[in-house]
Amino acid sequence: QVQLVESGGGYVQAGDSLRLSCAASRSIFSINYMGWYRQAPGKERELVAHIIRGGSTNYADSVKGRFTISRDNAKNTVYLQMNSLKPEDTAVYYCYVYANDYSSWGQGTQVTVSS
């Protein structure tokens, strides 16, 4: 089992950038899947991006070309670099991990993008 703590959210203007961090309580080296999800009020939680062991990534169409997910195993951290932010990116962003015998969610970090 692992605990996840997101950070890096904030209030920014359209076109600005943020980098979200998800720090894990233990090594993520052996975790095959880590992802970022987001949820706006009244909407379903949706996948933003994920990265698997080995570095392959996947992105939602809405963020493709603007967001980049990466992981630093030495720091037990996964990142989401968000560029060219849009108001529709406003949501609570959650880190998620899936392992062989458990899955975990972080507490979320708020991202608000003004026009």
Side-chain angles (χ1 to χ4, degrees), residues 55-82:
S56 295
T57 58
N58 188 57
Y59 299 91
D61 288 340
S62 60
V63 308
K64 195 172 297 181
R66 299 187 297 120
F67 291 9
T68 303
I69 188 171
S70 62
R71 61 192 289 174
D72 187 337
N73 291 334
K75 296 183 177 181
N76 297 334
T77 301
V78 62
Y79 302 97
L80 184 69
Q81 178 67 46
M82 305 186 294

Side-chain angles (χ1 to χ4, degrees), residues 31-91:
I31 297 177
N32 289 327
Y33 179 102
M34 301 190 71
W36 285 97
Y37 292 72
R38 66 186 181 187
Q39 187 169 24
K43 295 185 178 181
E44 293 284 322
R45 191 171 297 185
E46 64 176 353
L47 174 69
V48 177
H50 72 243
I51 185 167
I52 63 172
R53 189 176 180 183
S56 295
T57 58
N58 188 57
Y59 299 91
D61 288 340
S62 60
V63 308
K64 195 172 297 181
R66 299 187 297 120
F67 291 9
T68 303
I69 188 171
S70 62
R71 61 192 289 174
D72 187 337
N73 291 334
K75 296 183 177 181
N76 297 334
T77 301
V78 62
Y79 302 97
L80 184 69
Q81 178 67 46
M82 305 186 294
N83 298 327
S84 301
L85 283 162
K86 303 175 180 179
E88 50 263 46
D89 295 319
T90 296

Side-chain angles (χ1 to χ4, degrees), residues 8-28:
Y11 187 96
V12 298
Q13 294 181 334
D16 285 352
S17 297
L18 285 172
R19 189 179 75 161
L20 305 184
S21 298
C22 173
S25 61
R26 66 171 181 84
S27 175
I28 62 170

